[in-house]
């Protein structure tokens, strides 16, 4: 795999229950797929410090499904 670039996004969260949240993402990709990017997903609080997120992200030329593990100390 090869990556060329950087992206920056803002994520908004809507807390549905204490363990489930809905996510929206919007931002820009600079580099390998220049342009706007947006996404939507769902997050699950596994513990107080760990979240599991499933997201669909769309860029100018690339769509992706992502699985993210988020750590918040």
């Amino acid at each position: 795999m090869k990556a060329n670039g950087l992206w920056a996004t803002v994520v908004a969260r809507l807390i549905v229950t204490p363990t489930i949240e809905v996510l929206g993402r919007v931002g820009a990709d600079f580099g390998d797929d220049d342009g706007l990017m947006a996404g939507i997903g769902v997050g699950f609080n596994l513990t107080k410090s760990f979240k599991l997120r499933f997201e669909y992200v769309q860029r100018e030329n690339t769509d992706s499904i992502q699985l993210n593990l988020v750590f918040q100390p």
Side-chain angles (χ1 to χ4, degrees):
M1 280 200 240
K2 182 180 176 185
N4 294 322
L6 172 71
W7 54 264
T9 63
V10 174
V11 177
R13 302 180 304 145
L14 174 64
I15 307 300
V16 178
T17 70
T19 57
I20 300 173
E21 60 189 16
V22 176
L23 309 164
R25 176 183 301 274
V26 66
D29 189 335
F30 310 96
D32 57 351
D33 195 5
D34 286 340
L36 298 177
M37 62 186 297
I40 190 165
V42 62
F44 303 96
N45 295 330
L46 302 175
T47 68
K48 187 175 179 179
S49 297
F50 287 98
K51 294 180 183 182
L52 188 62
R53 289 182 176 171
F54 297 97
E55 294 184 63
Y56 170 74
V57 178
Q58 187 175 34
R59 296 176 185 87
E60 292 291 318
N61 299 314
T62 306
D63 296 349
S64 63
I65 296 174
Q66 300 179 0
L67 174 63
N68 302 307
L69 182 62
V70 179
F71 174 70
Q72 294 177 323

